[in-house]
């Protein structure tokens, strides 16, 4: 009876709750971001001294906000990690063609491996061009059809076959046109190559479809590489994975007597068949292996009526640590990406605490190793502290807007979950509009931690300010985004700036709070739209006896 009476009161109060203006502290956003992105944290790489400082800081700030330890009385969840650092890279060469092709390490090729083994030695592995490296039975598309790649190295194009299509969406093309699907992500391409038995898998880097320059490949794929420490040492994965420069790929194809551009164009059409290049790739490197434990931070504000039902806020705390120096600076501080998101986690906790308790619990999770392939969130989703069948939904925060207020709001991967229906009136209440994703070809939906939850059925909103700035409009917004991607993203220049304009972040955080409060003080269980690939998983998880 108590719960029924409470819910009746909530039904009356919900419209007001949804429009509540939260007490989000700009000073908290500034101070946490500045601290976590300072040089003292050395770029917040997992399993380093920077991690220990980071985790300690997050715990202290959440505790000060009134949050309780969320993992059975503990603040952290252990995430077993294995760190692999390549060294003594021997030149990779392709032989057997019109010319001998040598790939210089870092400038032409960045090789790596998921395998936990001290030595990688690729010897005379046949090269095969497999187009976009996609096997999608539901679309009648298989770039590996009739092909045995065991012992061979596949050369793969980045993104989807229809990425150059102007339109984006389910009706725009077999792979949603300009909007990248998971088939376009590098993670998928390496996964599929391994499933096919390929010894090597090399992706051709092209800045536009990859959505970032070669410098990002260099900074992200050199130095320590992280994976989850799992049974089998990932020996089921390809021996060599990596990237080559576009110009070098064209040289490689020319050495095989083939035209890269012609074959790349052919690969965009259904029915494409893989093309052996008649070349053999050799090369290798040593691996330094280190096993250690990283940490997810987990906090909770317990609900008063349904504490076992949880609304989740997530953000990744990690960044790249030390990286290629720019102007003598070799620390990738990750201020926007993602010290701002962790700062938002703390500020959100403060706002909830000030506003009073909620019906359902509010969970706060700061995950590790997002930059290494969403490893921390994947581990959490596969070993949830709060059962996924009891997780209502939530918001993932990855990089706040620090360039000013906007007239619009973008939902990443729009058209997937019912959370979008709940967000629309909140956006309208701010006098803003929901605009199409400005760069759907970049595949942001598959590049942050909400995707780990989505794959196991939990809808997590990933949305933020669009590019239409109140001051300067779309032109100014695009210029700011391009400047960040070119000059700061995954580089040492992503540093805290006291002159940042937090107005856009405050707009977005207000929406995040109002959505979460509505979920936490209501009875809704948002699901996926019928066309979403995650709906069946959600239905199964919710069918588990509660």
């Amino acid at each position: 009876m108590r719960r029924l009476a409470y819910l009746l009161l909530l039904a009356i109060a919900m419209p007001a709750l949804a429009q509540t203006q939260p007490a989000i502290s700009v000073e908290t956003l500034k101070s946490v971001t500045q601290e976590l992105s300072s040089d003292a944290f050395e770029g917040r790489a997992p399993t380093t001294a920077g991690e220990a400082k980071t985790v300690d800081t997050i715990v202290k700030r959440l505790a000060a906000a009134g949050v309780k330890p969320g993992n059975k009385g503990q603040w952290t969840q252990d995430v077993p990690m294995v760190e692999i650092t390549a060294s003594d890279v021997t030149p990779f060469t392709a032989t057997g063609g019109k010319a001998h092709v040598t790939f210089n390490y870092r400038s032409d090729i960045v090789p790596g491996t998921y395998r936990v083994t001290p030595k990688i030695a690729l010897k005379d592995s046949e090269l095969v061009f497999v187009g976009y490296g996609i096997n999608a039975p539901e679309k009648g598309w298989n770039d590996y059809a009739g092909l045995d790649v065991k012992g061979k190295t596949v050369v793969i194009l980045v993104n989807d076959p229809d990425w150059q299509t102007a339109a984006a969406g389910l009706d725009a093309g077999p792979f949603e046109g300009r909007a990248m699907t998971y088939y376009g992500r590098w993670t998928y391409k390496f996964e599929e190559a391994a499933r096919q038995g390929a010894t090597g898998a090399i992706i051709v880097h092209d800045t536009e479809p990859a959505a970032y320059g070669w410098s990002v490949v260099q900074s992200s794929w050199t130095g320590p590489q992280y994976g989850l420490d799992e049974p089998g040492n990932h020996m089921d994965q390809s021996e060599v994975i990596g990237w080559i420069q576009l110009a070098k790929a064209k040289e490689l194809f020319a050495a095989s007597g083939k035209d890269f551009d012609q074959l790349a164009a052919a690969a965009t059409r259904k029915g494409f068949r893989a093309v052996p290049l008649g070349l053999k790739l050799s090369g290798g490197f040593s691996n330094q292996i280190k096993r250690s434990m990283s940490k997810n931070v987990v906090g909770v504000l317990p609900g008063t009526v349904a504490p076992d039902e949880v609304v989740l806020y997530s953000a990744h705390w990690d960044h790249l640590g030390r990286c290629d120096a720019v102007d003598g600076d070799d620390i990738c501080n990750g201020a926007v990406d993602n010290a701002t998101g962790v700062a938002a986690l703390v500020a959100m906790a403060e706002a909830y605490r000030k506003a009073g308790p909620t019906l359902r619990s509010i969970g706060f999770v700061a995950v590790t190793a997002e930059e290494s392939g969403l490893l921390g969130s994947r581990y959490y989703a596969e070993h949830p502290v709060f059962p996924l069948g009891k997780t209502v939904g939530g918001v993932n925060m990855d990089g706040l807007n620090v360039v000013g207020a906007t007239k619009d709001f973008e939902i990443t991967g729009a058209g997937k979950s019912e959370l979008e229906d709940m967000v629309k009136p909140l956006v309208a209440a701010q006098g803003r509009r929901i605009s199409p994703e400005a760069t759907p070809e970049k595949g942001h939906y598959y590049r942050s931690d909400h995707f780990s939850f989505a794959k196991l059925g939990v809808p997590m909103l990933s949305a933020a300010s669009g590019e239409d700035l109140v001051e300067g409009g779309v032109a100014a917004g695009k210029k700011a985004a391009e400047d960040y991607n070119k000059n700061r993203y995954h580089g040492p220049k992503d540093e805290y700036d006291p002159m940042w304009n937090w107005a856009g972040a405050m707009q977005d955080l207000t929406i995040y709070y109002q959505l979460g409060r509505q979920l936490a003080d209501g009875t809704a269980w948002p699901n996926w739209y019928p066309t979403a690939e995650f709906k069946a998983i959600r239905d199964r998880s919710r069918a588990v006896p509660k």
Side-chain angles (χ1 to χ4, degrees):
M1 291 296 293
R2 177 170 175 252
R3 176 164 180 162
L4 177 61
Y6 193 89
L7 295 179
L8 288 172
L9 288 171
L10 283 172
I12 298 171
M14 277 306 297
L17 285 170
Q19 302 303 325
T20 299
Q21 293 299 312
I24 296 171
S25 169
V26 175
E27 289 309 311
T28 293
L29 296 175
K30 291 179 178 179
S31 64
V32 175
T33 300
Q34 184 174 16
E35 182 176 9
L36 290 179
S37 63
S38 69
D39 283 356
F41 287 72
E42 301 181 78
R44 304 190 309 279
T47 74
T48 66
E51 162 164 354
K53 290 182 180 179
T54 300
V55 169
D56 183 61
T57 298
I58 297 170
V59 168
K60 286 180 179 177
R61 294 301 297 248
L62 287 177
V67 176
K68 305 298 182 184
N71 187 13
K72 299 177 182 178
Q74 302 296 316
W75 275 108
T76 59
Q77 176 189 41
D78 286 344
V79 181
M81 302 279 285
V82 59
E83 174 187 317
I84 303 174
T85 305
S87 62
D88 304 322
V89 180
T90 59
F92 275 72
T93 59
T95 57
K98 294 182 178 181
H100 187 90
V101 182
T102 299
F103 299 87
N104 294 316
Y105 178 52
R106 296 178 62 87
S107 58
D108 298 330
I109 189 171
V110 179
T113 187
Y114 291 135
R115 293 188 179 188
V116 186
T117 183
K119 189 81 174 174
I120 294 294
L122 194 68
K123 178 67 173 176
D124 292 333
S125 177
E126 294 181 33
L127 285 163
V128 183
F129 176 58
V130 294
Y132 287 88
I134 293 172
N135 179 18
E138 76 283 6
K139 299 179 184 293
W141 193 291
N142 186 2
D143 289 325
Y144 289 94
L147 184 66
D148 180 2
V149 295
K150 291 180 175 63
K152 300 175 184 178
T153 294
V154 293
V155 180
I156 314 168
L157 299 175
V158 72
N159 213 308
D160 295 319
D162 52 6
W163 71 269
Q164 297 185 73
T165 305
L170 293 174
D171 300 324
F175 295 93
E176 300 186 22
R178 194 156 179 80
M180 183 190 288
T181 68
Y182 188 58
Y183 291 116
R185 286 287 291 148
W186 59 264
T187 47
Y188 165 80
K189 295 177 188 295
F190 292 145
E191 290 164 3
E192 186 59 37
R195 282 191 288 268
Q196 295 289 336
T199 294
I202 305 295
I203 296 175
V204 178
H205 176 269
D206 187 355
T207 296
E208 186 177 2
Y212 39 76
W214 183 252
S215 62
V216 174
V217 175
Q218 287 181 315
S219 62
S220 302
W221 282 79
T222 56
Q225 302 294 297
Y226 299 93
L228 294 180
D229 191 5
E230 298 173 313
N233 288 326
H234 305 290
M235 297 303 287
D236 59 340
Q237 298 299 302
S238 299
E239 186 174 357
V240 173
I241 58 174
W243 299 74
I244 57 172
Q245 282 267 37
L246 176 61
K248 208 66 181 180
K250 292 184 176 182
E251 181 183 335
L252 178 72
F253 278 54
S256 74
K258 295 175 174 59
D259 185 284
F260 175 86
D261 293 329
Q262 288 183 359
L263 286 180
T268 65
R269 296 188 287 271
K270 193 172 184 178
F272 169 79
R273 289 295 179 264
V275 179
L277 297 180
L279 304 173
K280 294 183 178 181
L281 185 69
S282 299
F285 47 89
S286 299
N287 287 322
Q288 297 173 1
I289 299 168
K290 172 187 172 186
R291 286 181 163 88
S292 54
M293 202 67 72
S294 191
K295 307 282 186 182
N296 289 333
V297 179
V298 185
V300 66
L301 288 174
T304 57
V305 175
D308 60 330
E309 299 175 1
V310 179
V311 177
L312 204 61
Y313 286 92
S314 62
H316 74 90
W317 60 254
D318 66 295
H319 201 57
L320 302 178
R322 294 190 177 271
C323 52
D324 289 351
V326 175
D327 298 331
D329 182 2
D330 70 343
I331 297 178
C332 278
N333 302 85
V336 170
D337 182 17
N338 186 36
T340 60
V342 178
L345 209 63
V346 175
M348 200 67 66
E350 291 176 346
Y352 270 97
R353 182 69 173 172
K354 290 175 184 176
T358 51
L359 166 65
R360 291 163 162 163
S361 295
I362 307 293
F364 303 91
V365 180
V367 296
T368 182
E370 188 267 359
E371 303 290 7
S372 300
L374 317 184
L375 298 181
S377 58
R378 176 188 148 197
Y379 188 85
Y380 176 93
E382 293 175 354
H383 307 83
V385 172
F386 309 119
L388 300 188
K390 295 279 192 174
T391 303
V392 181
V395 180
N396 181 56
M397 300 177 291
D398 191 354
L400 299 187
N401 167 12
V402 291
V403 297
T406 68
K407 302 173 188 176
D408 60 342
F409 187 77
E410 289 185 12
I411 297 173
T412 305
K416 292 188 180 294
S417 93
E418 293 170 353
L419 288 176
E420 297 172 36
D421 298 322
M422 301 177 71
V423 161
K424 289 174 183 176
L426 305 178
V427 175
Q430 292 185 346
R432 300 164 82 190
R433 69 183 187 281
I434 293 178
S435 61
E437 206 173 339
T439 54
E441 70 279 7
K442 294 184 178 181
H444 286 297
Y445 189 79
Y446 308 99
R447 290 170 58 179
S448 194
D449 295 302
H450 57 273
F451 185 55
S452 294
F453 294 99
K455 286 195 294 185
L456 293 180
V458 177
M460 296 281 287
L461 182 74
S462 175
S465 298
E467 292 186 339
D468 191 0
L469 290 173
V470 171
E471 296 183 10
V474 174
K478 284 185 178 296
K479 182 179 179 181
E482 290 169 359
D483 176 70
Y484 174 76
N485 287 330
K486 180 180 179 180
N487 298 314
R488 280 177 283 285
Y489 176 65
H490 279 204
K493 298 296 185 181
D494 185 4
E495 298 178 305
Y496 176 78
D497 185 346
M499 299 305 294
W500 279 343
N501 183 338
W502 294 86
M506 293 296 286
Q507 286 179 310
D508 296 344
L509 290 171
T510 296
I511 291 172
Y512 303 159
Y513 175 89
Q514 290 172 341
L515 173 65
R517 190 89 199 188
Q518 189 172 334
L519 290 170
D521 282 336
T523 59
W525 281 96
N527 206 331
W528 302 91
Y529 294 141
T531 55
E533 58 268 49
F534 314 113
K535 187 176 187 303
I537 304 170
R538 175 70 157 181
D539 291 343
R540 287 196 298 270
S541 73
R542 289 288 296 132
V544 175
K546 304 173 184 57

